[in-house]
Amino acid sequence: FGVMQPESSPPPRLGLLLSSRSMAPLASACSGAISGGLVSACLQPLDVVRTRMQADAASGRARSALTALGSVAREGGVPNLWRGTSATVIRVGGGAFVH
């Protein structure tokens, strides 16, 4: 009854972005593993601080994130914030590969 329908046009495509259907399964798995590993490595300091806050709270010493961050950095230096990164990258990257 006179309802106007918009013209359907294909969505714009950028050269580097592909839909998951057009990507080979192995390429998709590898890109998932790489992106999962990179994100894990970048966010590892937040995970270390969160774990320290949980351990402190369990022992009755509640701390803020900044206090936990300072104590981790003082104990082992800034590289201590990336402690356990290899295990996390393997776990998350492997899971992203399989998924």
Side-chain angles (χ1 to χ4, degrees), residues 39-64:
V39 168
S40 297
C42 291
L43 296 178
Q44 184 67 22
L46 297 176
D47 192 44
V48 169
V49 168
R50 177 187 54 88
T51 303
R52 176 61 62 95
M53 289 174 63
Q54 289 174 337
D56 289 343
S59 66
R61 298 175 300 183
R63 293 186 180 180
S64 69

Side-chain angles (χ1 to χ4, degrees), residues 44-92:
Q44 184 67 22
L46 297 176
D47 192 44
V48 169
V49 168
R50 177 187 54 88
T51 303
R52 176 61 62 95
M53 289 174 63
Q54 289 174 337
D56 289 343
S59 66
R61 298 175 300 183
R63 293 186 180 180
S64 69
L66 290 176
T67 305
L69 176 68
S71 70
V72 170
R74 272 192 307 278
E75 289 173 7
V78 174
N80 202 28
L81 291 169
W82 277 271
R83 189 172 184 188
T85 301
S86 58
T88 303
V89 166
I90 290 169
R91 178 178 52 86
V92 174

